[in-house]
Structures are given as C-alpha cells and as structure tokens.
Amino acid sequence: MRIDIITVLPELLKSPFEASILKRAITANLVEIHFHNLRDYATDNYKSIDDTQFGGGAGMVMMVEPIHKCISDLKSQRDYDDVIYMTPDGETLNQGIANQISIKENIIILCGHYKGVDQRVRDHLITREISIGDFVLSGGELAAAVLCDAVIRLIPGVLGNETSALTDSFQDNLLAPPIYTKPREYNGWKVPELLFSGNLPKIEEWREEQAYKRTKERRPDLLEE
C-alpha cells in the first residue's frame, strides 16, 4: 500500500511513523508513506495556500488551486483508489471503514487546516470524507495519523500475529473480552481458573460471552448494528 499525505505541516506528521508498528511496516516495505507540503504547489512568491472567505466570515480557507495542482501531479504518476479528506463533518471512522481502506493499493489523504478547504475541492477532487470524532482539531494531521495507524496495522504481515487484529475491539461489532497475563495472582487479585484449564473450546466460549457482556454494558449500540 502507498499513502500520500497532503499537508501544510509535514513536520507534525512524521514522528508517528518513526516508531513502533508503523515504522516496522515501512521498514518491511509493506507500506509507503509520502508527505507532500502543499506550499510547494502555491502559485505566488509567498507560498500562499489560504485566503479570506467570499461573503465574509471568520477564518481562512484553503484555496482550491494548490490542492488541485498537488492531487493532479500525484494522479499523473499512478492511479489512486481514494482521495480522502479528513474533516469533522465526514463519516465517523470505525473498524469497518479501516478494514475497507486496508485492502486499497494507493490512497491520498488531504489534511484540512484553518477553517477548511474551498468547497470545490470537496465537490470535484475528494472521493471520501472521514472524521475521527465529533470535535474540531487545529488541523487534519493528527486525524490522518490516526487513520493511517488504524489501517496499516490491518495489512497482512504488519503485526507479528496476524490473528491479533481479527480479535480487536469492534471486529464483529463486539468489544474485546478481558485479558490477563503473569502473575497468576497479584495482591489477592486472581485470574479466572478456566484460562488455565487447557480447554480451548471452553475458553473461546467464555471469551465470546465476556465480549458480549462487555459490549452490552458499555456499547449496546454496537449490538443494534
């Protein structure tokens, strides 16, 4: 998979991809991440990529021309499955969306900034709009990093145990069941005896029951879906 990220703050985005699972995925050539500074596509000497709103109003707006030039440049080099715009009013990111995107080959992610982008960008250049929640950030960079993390960990070979991602919360619309590790008892707090029984069918049945119980208590809306 190749991910091209268009941003006005590439330095803000780089660190999440320089450690842990994302770094390993890049080092193993399972994913390519490329950052594109939108100011490189500005049309004036001041590297301007935003301007005031037509009709008045607070906040600057990202201009259509630099964004169009950048996306057109990328599309001239390869085909893209999606051009994604990170915006608070997009569809809310969930595990299903991450699963869908993880099987794509090439995607572009546009990070919004300031008041947002000229509507013509959204009307003519964007194929999908994604939000990470009902709140506003200073820009789309952190949201783009969240999306990339959610997607990249699903690519085969990225995690040491490929079944791990399949048992995460929200797969099959269930939260993950309780998990335990050593020591067997600590401070009088004990691990359920069933987990030491070696009876794998019973253990799986218990985990499914616990996942359902936890989901019913904490996120009953998932069961309705």
Side-chain angles (χ1 to χ4, degrees):
M1 169 182 272
R2 176 185 171 113
I3 303 175
D4 289 273
I5 305 176
I6 303 172
T7 171
V8 296
L9 294 170
E11 64 275 12
L12 180 62
L13 262 171
K14 291 179 180 178
S15 62
F17 298 92
E18 295 174 347
S20 191
I21 291 173
L22 299 187
K23 180 181 179 180
R24 293 204 304 268
I26 294 169
T27 302
N29 296 317
L30 297 172
V31 64
E32 293 182 40
I33 305 292
H34 299 270
F35 305 106
H36 305 275
N37 191 332
L38 189 59
R39 295 191 187 279
D40 293 339
Y41 295 86
T43 58
D44 62 10
N45 293 331
Y46 299 100
K47 300 292 184 180
S48 302
I49 49 84
D50 64 293
D51 211 328
T52 55
Q53 299 185 52
F54 285 134
M60 304 293 281
V61 180
M62 295 174 69
M63 296 186 291
V64 61
E65 188 172 4
I67 296 172
H68 182 226
K69 288 179 64 178
C70 182
I71 292 176
S72 296
D73 182 32
L74 292 172
K75 285 187 170 182
S76 71
Q77 301 172 49
R78 66 192 60 81
D79 294 327
Y80 286 91
D81 301 294
D82 265 319
V83 181
I84 299 170
Y85 174 47
M86 305 306 301
T87 175
D89 58 349
E91 58 182 328
T92 303
L93 177 63
N94 58 32
Q95 193 62 47
I97 292 174
N99 290 344
Q100 294 169 15
I101 296 175
S102 71
I103 62 175
K104 307 289 187 181
E105 291 187 14
N106 302 313
I107 63 171
I108 295 172
I109 301 176
L110 172 62
C111 301
H113 214 68
Y114 311 111
K115 193 68 175 178
V117 300
D118 187 302
Q119 182 62 37
R120 289 169 290 186
V121 173
R122 303 174 74 166
D123 291 342
H124 301 288
L125 302 175
I126 301 301
T127 63
R128 190 165 200 172
E129 300 183 347
I130 294 178
S131 166
I132 63 166
D134 295 339
F135 51 88
V136 178
L137 299 171
S138 299
E141 284 76 16
L142 297 180
V146 168
L147 174 62
C148 289
D149 190 292
V151 168
I152 291 171
R153 66 190 308 280
L154 297 171
I155 297 173
V158 170
L159 297 181
N161 183 344
E162 293 188 11
T163 63
S164 178
L166 300 178
T167 58
D168 286 339
S169 289
F170 306 111
Q171 296 285 13
D172 298 325
N173 280 358
L174 290 176
L175 300 181
I179 54 176
Y180 301 89
T181 188
K182 297 175 181 177
R184 184 166 179 163
E185 181 176 346
Y186 175 77
N187 201 30
W189 307 329
K190 298 180 180 181
V191 176
E193 285 297 320
L194 175 64
L195 298 179
F196 305 104
S197 68
N199 190 331
L200 297 183
K202 280 289 185 182
I203 292 173
E204 282 304 308
E205 181 181 347
W206 177 85
R207 285 175 172 158
E208 289 177 8
E209 290 172 352
Q210 293 298 313
Y212 180 84
K213 179 181 177 182
R214 177 172 285 184
T215 306
K216 186 176 181 180
E217 291 174 349
R218 302 183 181 185
R219 289 293 305 276
D221 58 297
L222 294 175
L223 297 177
E224 294 173 4
E225 294 177 11

